[in-house]
């Protein structure tokens, strides 16, 4: 075995099924048949790795519009995709104007000052209208001012963002839809976009010309009662057993001794911790999957380790160097979100840099 294989085995592993990102894209695209479907790939493609995720989407689907959060993410993305359309949510600072132009990246203008900075450029841009979330975008007053003025902009997209898209019964949805529809009527002929992943499932009224899913591309559920069919798991995280200890009743495990053996116990130490996205809150009633069964995580997270209780008979064959699933088809994002109270967005983007990453493209 060569040195790189040896070292690969020394860290925990992230497996990414790129084929399922593509399948998920196609599911989301089919769910919004009247609109084009973009891909939101901010935060390093939600933690999964921009450099692998983006080409998989671009070369295997019809997607040619991508959204990122920052200009610096956009420049990385531009180095991967020469031709695609790239929009940046964060907007425009004065000293960024030239960089946007040089790299052919489109700012999403969020206030009147940004609009002024870009106005004379005649290069493509988007405008974000705030319809109630009070995050980025033109406020109600600025929206009115803007709609009653003239400009020299080359606006290629107008957008707004939903507050409660994962709750189909929430009245804010229809309220934002009405406000945004009014804006689109005032700006006829400019493509419009309102829906993130969950917004797509609010129905055709919410699709406009372009939908902007993120989390569901990666197999996450933003909070819908049930993950829609056709959205598949994308990632597996596997840790390795470093050591196994036999404990007598009364012996504790780890910092602060918050777990104590009540019976003769067998405990396995795994090579994942904070830097691998195993946050403090993820240790409450968490489980891992090994030897075909669920084993409870015990004690506190150590900086680079967690402990699991493998006392039960089913685990008798488990030994040092064995692989343990900490997230995947048996320990789902949904399960971890539930026991940890972390959002699925936090779990994905918290995956961290240390995993040995393995990408499969099976469609
Ligand atoms: C992050 C983001 C999205 C994607 O949202 P998901 O819930 O991940 O689908 C879409 N639009 C805006 C403005 C965003 O910030």
């Amino acid at each position: 075995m060569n040195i790189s294989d040896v070292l690969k085995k020394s860290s925990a592993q992230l497996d990414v099924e790129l084929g399922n990102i593509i399948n998920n894209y196609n599911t989301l695209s089919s769910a919004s048949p009247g609109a084009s479907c973009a891909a939101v790939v901010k935060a390093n493609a939600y933690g999964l790795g921009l450099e692998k995720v983006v080409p998989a989407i671009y070369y295997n689907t019809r997607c040619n519009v991508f959204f990122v959060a920052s200009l610096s993410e956009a420049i990385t993305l531009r180095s991967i995709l020469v031709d695609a359309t790239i929009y940046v949510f964060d907007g425009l600072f004065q000293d960024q104007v030239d960089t946007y132009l040089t790299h052919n990246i489109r700012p999403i203008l969020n206030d009147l000052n940004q609009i002024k900075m870009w106005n004379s450029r005649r290069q493509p841009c988007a405008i974000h209208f705030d319809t109630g979330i009070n995050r980025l975008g033109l406020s109600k007053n600025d929206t009115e001012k803007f709609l009653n003025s003239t400009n020299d902009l080359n606006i290629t997209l107008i957008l707004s963002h939903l507050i409660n898209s994962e709750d189909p019964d929430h009245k804010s949805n229809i309220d934002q839809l009405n406000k945004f529809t009014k804006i689109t009527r005032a700006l006829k002929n400019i493509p419009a976009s309102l829906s993130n992943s969950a917004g797509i499932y609010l129905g055709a009224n919410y699709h406009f010309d372009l939908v902007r899913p993120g989390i569901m591309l990666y197999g996450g559920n933003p909070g819908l009662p049930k993950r829609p069919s056709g959205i598949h798991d994308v990632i597996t995280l596997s840790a390795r057993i470093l050591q196994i200890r036999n404990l007598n009743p009364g012996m504790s495990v780890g910092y602060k001794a918050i777990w104590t053996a009540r019976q003769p116990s067998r405990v396995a130490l795994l090579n994942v911790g904070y830097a691998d996205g195993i946050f403090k809150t993820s240790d409450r009633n968490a489980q891992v999957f090994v030897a075909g069964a669920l084993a409870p995580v015990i004690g506190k997270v150590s900086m680079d380790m967690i402990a699991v209780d493998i006392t039960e008979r089913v685990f008798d064959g488990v030994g040092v160097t064995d692989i343990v699933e900490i997230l995947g088809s048996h320990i789902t994002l949904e399960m971890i979100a539930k026991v940890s109270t972390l959002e699925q967005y936090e779990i994905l983007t918290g995956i961290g840099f240390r995993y040995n990453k393995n990408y499969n493209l099976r469609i």
Side-chain angles (χ1 to χ4, degrees), residues 76-320:
T76 309
L77 181 53
R78 177 56 78 215
S79 73
I80 303 169
L81 296 180
V82 181
D83 294 327
T85 299
I86 302 174
Y87 288 104
V88 176
F89 287 130
D90 283 356
L92 181 67
F93 295 140
Q94 182 68 59
D95 62 1
Q96 295 176 335
V97 171
D98 290 341
T99 312
Y100 269 104
L101 293 170
T102 310
H103 295 271
N104 183 25
I105 293 162
R106 303 185 186 184
I108 300 179
L109 306 173
N110 288 318
D111 64 31
L112 295 178
N113 189 39
Q114 293 179 13
I115 287 172
K116 212 162 92 195
M117 288 192 269
W118 196 257
N119 196 26
S120 58
R121 305 292 166 165
R122 301 186 185 246
Q123 293 300 313
C125 66
I127 301 198
H128 194 157
F129 295 95
D130 189 317
T131 49
I133 194 170
N134 288 311
R135 228 174 54 170
L136 295 176
L138 269 67
S139 65
K140 185 165 178 282
N141 280 346
D142 284 355
T143 299
E144 274 166 27
K145 266 192 212 156
F146 177 79
L147 295 179
N148 289 317
S149 63
T150 58
N151 65 73
D152 297 322
L153 293 167
N154 175 8
I155 308 168
T156 50
L157 186 70
I158 55 175
L159 62 139
S160 191
H161 194 49
L162 295 164
I163 308 169
N164 293 298
S165 54
E166 67 292 334
D167 178 1
D169 298 326
H170 205 291
K171 65 181 189 339
S172 68
N173 291 320
I174 191 83
D175 182 51
Q176 287 189 280
L177 176 65
N178 289 338
K179 285 179 178 149
F180 189 60
T181 301
K182 265 194 203 140
I183 296 167
T184 62
R185 289 201 180 119
L187 296 169
K188 282 196 275 299
N189 306 324
I190 302 179
S193 175
L194 179 61
S195 285
N196 57 354
S197 298
I200 291 171
Y201 291 92
L202 291 173
N205 286 347
Y206 288 79
H207 295 165
F208 293 90
D209 303 293
L210 182 78
V211 293
R212 316 185 300 269
I215 188 134
M216 286 174 92
L217 293 172
Y218 313 107
N221 178 353
L224 297 169
K226 196 170 162 291
R227 190 174 73 173
S229 67
I231 300 294
H232 304 282
D233 291 336
V234 168
I235 64 168
T236 305
L237 294 177
S238 325
R240 208 173 272 278
I241 297 179
L242 300 170
Q243 189 172 1
I244 292 178
R245 305 191 72 92
N246 293 304
L247 269 61
N248 295 328
M251 288 177 162
S252 68
V253 171
Y255 291 130
K256 309 247 160 91
I258 65 167
W259 184 90
T260 302
R262 294 205 194 107
Q263 55 176 338
S265 298
R266 217 168 151 242
V267 171
L269 283 313
L270 309 183
N271 64 342
V272 287
Y274 295 135
D276 311 293
I278 312 296
F279 300 127
K280 196 156 63 185
T281 42
S282 22
D283 62 10
R284 293 184 200 138
N285 301 316
Q287 295 174 308
V288 300
F289 184 79
V290 56
L294 297 171
V297 175
I298 56 172
K300 285 176 76 71
V301 177
S302 294
M303 169 122 170
D304 299 298
M305 272 177 284
I306 56 174
V308 296
D309 181 358
I310 51 163
T311 306
E312 280 184 39
R313 291 280 302 271
V314 282
F315 302 117
D316 280 358
V318 171
V320 167

